[in-house]
Amino acid sequence: MIAYKHFIGLALFRTRGYFMKKRILFVMNNLGCGGAEKSLVTLLNCIDYSSYEVDLFLFEPEGVFMELLPPEVNLLPAPKYWKILNSSLAGSMKSLARDGRLDLMFCRGAQAIICRKFDSPERAEQYMWKFIKHAFSVLNGRYDAAIGYLEKNPVYFVVDRVKAARKIGWIHTNYSRLNINRNIEDRFFSKLDYIVTVSGECARILMNMFPGHESKVKIIENIIDPDLIRRMADMGGEAVEVEEEKEAKGANRTSITPGNPVRLVTVARLAEPKGIDLALEACRLLVRDGYKIIWRVIGDGPQRVQLESRIREYHLEYRFLLEGVKSNPYPYMKDADIYVQPSRYEGKSIAVEEAKLLCRPIVATAYGTVRDQIKDGINGLVADISPEGLYKSIKLLIDNKDLRSRLVNNLKKESVCGSREIIKLYRMIEG
């Protein structure tokens, strides 16, 4: 836990001059495996609850990070019809008819038409909100601040279904990579007091795309708790060892040696933006050239079946391991010889920040915001967004012991501090 939170909260508390907590609402889809979800849980664990009363509204109260919610957070009841509207058309129509919700039956039909009309999931989500918002009642009470902690639906909910003195939308991605209707987004942004994003590059893109809201755009970098991450990293992993690792067990794992397989780790969803397919191709190239590696990918997602098929095709079943979702990925990261982030685009990668904290040599692709995190050749390597680019940078790190040592030593000198970031949030809430 970050120690400064009580001091900051107390200072703000005293300036108000009376003993009344401010009420904050956070809105999110769920707490499944993802960077934004992890960021939210970390932030909630850093808030000073002697000064703030926090409600959390989840469209679906489920996910790997649910168990990490602090007990002070008041989890609001789940919306009754959200899951029904997102189930099969026949099943949802049957359930809605049974409840006499003819209005929502119409909305579900419109939702099905929109899904067929738009190839872009972002545009579909934008156009569907007009209909699915009717599944939600306006929340009771009034908040001092309401925060939609992810782009699109959580922000739309805060605008349309919450009463609050201040409304904040939190953007975790590079908006230029989303296929959206800007006019729809502009209408919602016009009703927000602040638009928070996670990096300078993301802020620049938002201001260029929505110049009318330039003054609202603020940067709050993802908050990480160094003490918590280090403690979790020391808890030990649950990975199944492959034969090469069993042979090397007991050997010195502080450095890459000829007798040990090189351990690579990536923490990411198995989805197109995260570039796991690029990582697999880079793994194939490394194995082809005789490099003895084991590459673990922590996460799950829609590309799993496709990736598993290609892993079998390339005979990399013992080289490229899809480990699935882990509530504690940090032992894997700590144990890695090299951490790899093969993304096509990112808002700002939390996993890269965590690998930096754990002082792992890092290879990250040249996604738009990578320069906010990695200085090439100083605290990591920036590779071209291609299998060949990843291959060259990983090969360079494996072969060059002095370079690895220099990157690690530079990372040890970097400081990680979230105090400035949470103060920014407190100031927005306090006005």
Side-chain angles (χ1 to χ4, degrees), residues 43-300:
L43 188 155
L44 291 173
N45 275 281
C46 294
I47 285 177
D48 174 22
Y49 290 97
S50 69
S51 298
Y52 298 98
E53 179 182 313
V54 175
D55 287 353
L56 175 62
F57 183 83
L58 299 174
F59 296 159
E60 295 178 273
E62 59 186 40
V64 68
F65 295 124
M66 288 292 293
E67 63 189 54
L68 300 181
L69 281 177
E72 296 91 345
V73 171
N74 176 38
L75 184 61
L76 298 178
K80 179 178 179 181
Y81 290 106
W82 176 258
K83 266 198 168 181
I84 293 175
L85 286 173
N86 284 279
S87 60
S88 69
L89 180 61
S92 58
M93 286 296 193
K94 183 177 179 180
S95 297
L96 294 169
R98 187 171 57 245
D99 286 0
R101 293 300 303 265
L102 298 180
D103 57 334
L104 292 185
M105 291 177 70
F106 170 79
C107 292
R108 182 64 182 89
Q111 187 180 358
I113 293 170
I114 290 168
C115 283
R116 286 196 293 269
K117 181 177 179 181
F118 293 102
D119 292 331
S120 162
E122 295 94 1
R123 287 206 173 216
E125 186 173 338
Q126 284 185 302
Y127 283 93
M128 282 192 291
W129 178 254
K130 176 181 178 180
F131 300 99
I132 64 175
K133 70 179 182 181
H134 298 291
F136 303 104
S137 301
V138 175
L139 291 188
N140 293 328
R142 182 175 177 81
Y143 292 91
D144 293 289
I147 301 165
Y149 204 74
L150 194 67
E151 52 274 1
K152 300 186 294 298
N153 279 344
V155 172
Y156 305 160
F157 181 90
V158 162
V159 168
D160 285 344
R161 289 293 183 259
V162 179
K163 292 173 284 186
R166 291 178 184 81
K167 296 187 176 184
I168 301 170
W170 211 294
I171 308 302
H172 290 266
T173 192
N174 177 342
Y175 246 51
S176 67
R177 300 303 298 262
L178 301 184
N179 182 6
I180 58 169
N181 181 315
R182 293 192 191 185
N183 291 329
I184 292 176
E185 217 68 358
D186 186 75
R187 289 200 296 272
F188 283 100
F189 283 177
S190 68
K191 298 177 182 178
L192 297 174
D193 296 284
Y194 297 105
I195 303 167
V196 172
T197 192
V198 295
S199 75
E201 179 67 10
C202 287
R204 183 189 64 77
I205 289 165
L206 279 170
M207 289 187 283
N208 287 341
M209 291 179 66
F210 303 98
H213 306 299
E214 183 175 347
S215 63
K216 296 180 181 180
V217 176
K218 308 295 179 184
I219 300 170
I220 297 183
E221 295 182 1
N222 290 313
I223 296 170
I224 62 176
D225 186 337
D227 292 337
L228 176 62
I229 290 172
R230 291 185 183 112
R231 287 200 306 272
M232 292 178 72
D234 289 337
M235 289 179 181
E238 54 186 81
V240 177
E241 293 178 314
V242 299
E243 289 305 313
E244 289 87 345
E245 290 179 302
K246 290 178 181 176
E247 292 170 8
K249 195 169 185 179
N252 178 11
R253 289 304 306 168
T254 61
S255 63
I256 298 172
T257 62
N260 289 334
V262 179
R263 298 187 182 189
L264 288 76
V265 170
T266 295
V267 179
R269 291 186 69 243
L270 308 184
E272 194 268 346
K274 299 300 182 180
I276 306 303
D277 56 320
L278 305 180
L280 176 56
E281 294 296 333
C283 179
R284 181 177 64 83
L285 295 175
L286 288 162
V287 171
R288 179 201 66 186
D289 287 356
Y291 286 92
K292 195 174 183 181
I293 65 170
I294 295 169
W295 194 328
R296 285 191 160 90
V297 179
I298 313 301
D300 212 336

Side-chain angles (χ1 to χ4, degrees), residues 261-428:
V262 179
R263 298 187 182 189
L264 288 76
V265 170
T266 295
V267 179
R269 291 186 69 243
L270 308 184
E272 194 268 346
K274 299 300 182 180
I276 306 303
D277 56 320
L278 305 180
L280 176 56
E281 294 296 333
C283 179
R284 181 177 64 83
L285 295 175
L286 288 162
V287 171
R288 179 201 66 186
D289 287 356
Y291 286 92
K292 195 174 183 181
I293 65 170
I294 295 169
W295 194 328
R296 285 191 160 90
V297 179
I298 313 301
D300 212 336
Q303 286 192 327
R304 172 175 276 277
V305 173
Q306 173 189 338
L307 289 166
E308 287 175 336
S309 175
R310 286 169 64 185
I311 289 168
R312 289 191 296 270
E313 178 186 346
Y314 296 158
H315 305 292
L316 295 175
E317 292 92 336
Y318 298 104
R319 300 295 178 190
F320 197 85
L321 310 179
L322 304 181
E323 298 281 8
V325 174
K326 305 291 180 185
S327 59
N328 181 11
Y330 304 118
Y332 296 87
M333 297 175 77
K334 180 183 176 183
D335 198 40
D337 295 307
I338 301 170
Y339 180 82
V340 185
Q341 193 68 35
S343 304
R344 288 183 169 89
Y345 65 91
E346 290 276 354
K348 187 171 184 181
S349 171
I350 295 176
V352 167
E353 291 301 307
E354 292 167 339
K356 288 167 64 178
L357 174 67
L358 294 171
C359 297
R360 295 298 80 210
I362 296 167
V363 172
T365 43
Y367 51 84
T369 58
V370 73
R371 308 292 175 180
D372 290 336
Q373 299 182 281
I374 298 295
K375 297 183 177 78
D376 189 31
I378 306 299
N379 62 354
L381 298 184
V382 177
D384 291 341
I385 306 177
S386 67
E388 294 77 14
L390 286 166
Y391 162 79
K392 289 176 183 177
S393 293
I394 294 168
K395 180 179 181 296
L396 178 60
L397 271 186
I398 292 174
D399 293 340
N400 192 327
K401 178 181 178 181
D402 290 340
L403 176 58
R404 292 197 310 272
S405 297
R406 186 167 70 248
L407 297 181
V408 169
N409 288 335
N410 288 339
L411 287 167
K412 288 177 179 177
K413 297 173 186 176
E414 292 190 11
S415 62
V416 179
C417 181
S419 60
R420 295 188 307 273
E421 306 311 307
I422 203 162
I423 289 171
K424 292 177 188 176
L425 176 59
Y426 288 156
R427 285 173 178 165
M428 289 181 195

